[in-house]
Amino acid sequence: MQLGLIGLGKMGGNMAERLRRGGHEVVGYDRAPGKRDVDSLEALIGALSAPRVVWVMVPAGEPTRATVKELAGLLEPGDVIVDGGNSRYTDDQVHDVMCREKGIGYVDAGVSGGVWGLENGYALMVGGTKDDVAKVQPVFDALKPPSPTDEAGQAVPGAGFVHAGPVGAGHFSKMVHNGIEYALMQAYGEGYELLAAVDLIEDVPGVVKSWTQGTVIRSWLLDLLVRALDEDPALERIRGYAEDSGEGRWTVEQAIENSVPMPTIAASLFARFSSRQDDSPTMKAVAALRNQFGGHAVRGIQAEEVERPA
């Protein structure tokens, strides 16, 4: 299948590579000249055969809004736009109305996998009509992780991909996913801080590593905390400062709007606000985890930013 991909950064570039490895043709555009295959959105559209599928992988907010608006003026009826960033679901609904007026399909795709998705695959939460999702399905199939198998060796359906509902459902699902992620990282960070605070524990990284097998709290995030501690056992090179990228706030706002109690996720969001005032060991662990799974920049002890290579 042929795909236009806009945004070839840490995730977009890896997604393009995974798709190419899967036998798909990707025409990529990025503002950075060294990464792109074409020099403009017009050239991108011209390089694709109708009906076209164009995947937008740029920062949420105004960059995505401007890109979708420009694409809607360039594409033709029957084409499909996919927003694979972390847009707010209400933006998707506005974009869908604008695109429908022109006969252009719109799909929102919540994507999880960070810098590890190239090798491991990406979990995908998708919103849109059945027809539009079907047009993009070969791309989704190539991006998602291999299906796990049950005891009989049969593939487990649904793992790593879901058509969650109409437009907006994909990014709403990813928003909740990221809210849960906030809470999980906060819990691991608090546990790390208590271990580090007492003289009784002589091998804090070893304790954390021991939890990765046979326990009910084992997870990929825990594996990444072990990795971070292997690289920096006392997290001395990282400030306890963690950004929030928006989804945690939106999740709490939706909890309030729908009268859903969400004390744990709310507390983890507020803890990130606190991290900007105190150099907390808990937030050092949270910052290290964000760096490990997503390549997000962290603040070093000299205030410079440090990124994991994509």
Side-chain angles (χ1 to χ4, degrees):
M1 178 176 170
Q2 194 180 49
L3 178 76
L5 182 58
I6 301 170
L8 302 171
K10 284 179 292 193
M11 281 192 67
N14 281 349
M15 290 167 65
E17 177 61 22
R18 185 173 175 88
L19 288 168
R20 287 171 177 143
R21 291 179 185 180
H24 297 282
E25 178 186 352
V26 179
V27 181
Y29 171 75
D30 193 279
R31 290 188 300 175
K35 297 180 178 181
R36 62 197 186 195
D37 302 312
V38 292
D39 295 332
S40 66
L41 292 187
E42 291 86 349
L44 177 76
I45 302 306
L48 301 174
S49 301
R52 306 168 186 86
V53 176
V54 180
W55 188 302
V56 179
M57 204 68 188
V58 302
E62 189 53 36
T64 293
R65 296 186 198 108
T67 303
V68 171
K69 184 176 181 180
E70 186 172 356
L71 284 174
L74 295 171
L75 292 171
E76 300 174 343
D79 294 342
V80 176
I81 297 173
V82 182
D83 178 4
N86 279 329
S87 295
R88 193 163 187 166
Y89 78 98
T90 49
D91 282 359
D92 295 316
Q93 294 167 339
V94 173
H95 292 158
D96 182 51
V97 171
M98 176 179 64
C99 290
R100 293 291 160 198
E101 291 174 350
K102 300 174 181 293
I104 299 167
Y106 184 88
V107 172
D108 60 294
V111 183
S112 181
V115 297
W116 302 91
L118 173 59
E119 301 300 333
N120 298 340
Y122 301 87
L124 301 162
M125 296 142 271
V126 172
T129 67
K130 289 183 178 180
D131 287 345
D132 288 337
V133 171
K135 291 179 182 179
V136 193
Q137 193 64 54
V139 170
F140 295 143
D141 289 342
L143 288 174
K144 72 181 183 70
S147 296
T149 56
D150 58 22
E151 294 180 356
Q154 299 298 312
V156 178
F161 172 84
V162 62
H163 181 187
V167 168
H171 281 147
F172 193 98
S173 300
K174 179 59 162 43
M175 175 192 74
V176 176
H177 165 282
N178 282 22
I180 294 169
E181 179 185 287
Y182 275 46
L184 289 172
M185 288 194 289
Q186 185 67 23
Y188 286 137
E190 290 175 4
Y192 163 78
E193 179 170 4
L194 181 56
L195 290 171
V198 299
D199 294 334
L200 182 64
I201 304 301
E202 297 177 349
D203 184 0
V204 174
V207 171
V208 176
K209 185 175 293 187
S210 76
W211 294 342
T212 62
Q213 299 295 324
T215 74
V216 296
I217 63 167
R218 64 189 185 274
S219 72
W220 185 44
L221 277 176
L222 187 61
D223 294 340
L224 293 176
L225 180 55
V226 169
R227 181 186 176 95
L229 291 171
D230 284 343
E231 296 173 356
D232 184 4
L235 301 181
E236 294 174 330
R237 300 196 299 269
I238 297 176
R239 282 185 55 201
Y241 182 108
E243 295 283 2
D244 67 288
S245 53
E247 296 92 334
R249 297 186 188 215
W250 303 339
T251 303
V252 172
E253 289 171 3
Q254 285 299 310
I256 294 169
E257 185 172 329
N258 291 279
S259 300
V260 174
M262 200 168 277
T264 305
I265 292 175
S268 67
L269 172 64
F270 295 143
R272 294 201 180 187
F273 299 161
S274 297
S275 80
R276 294 155 206 181
Q277 301 170 4
D278 302 308
D279 197 25
S280 159
T282 294
M283 301 317 297
K284 283 177 177 281
V286 171
L289 279 168
R290 293 182 80 244
N291 182 245
Q292 286 288 331
F293 75 76
H296 300 291
V298 297
R299 298 197 177 196
I301 57 174
Q302 301 300 323
E304 74 275 9
E305 289 196 341
V306 181
E307 286 198 17
R308 292 187 59 79

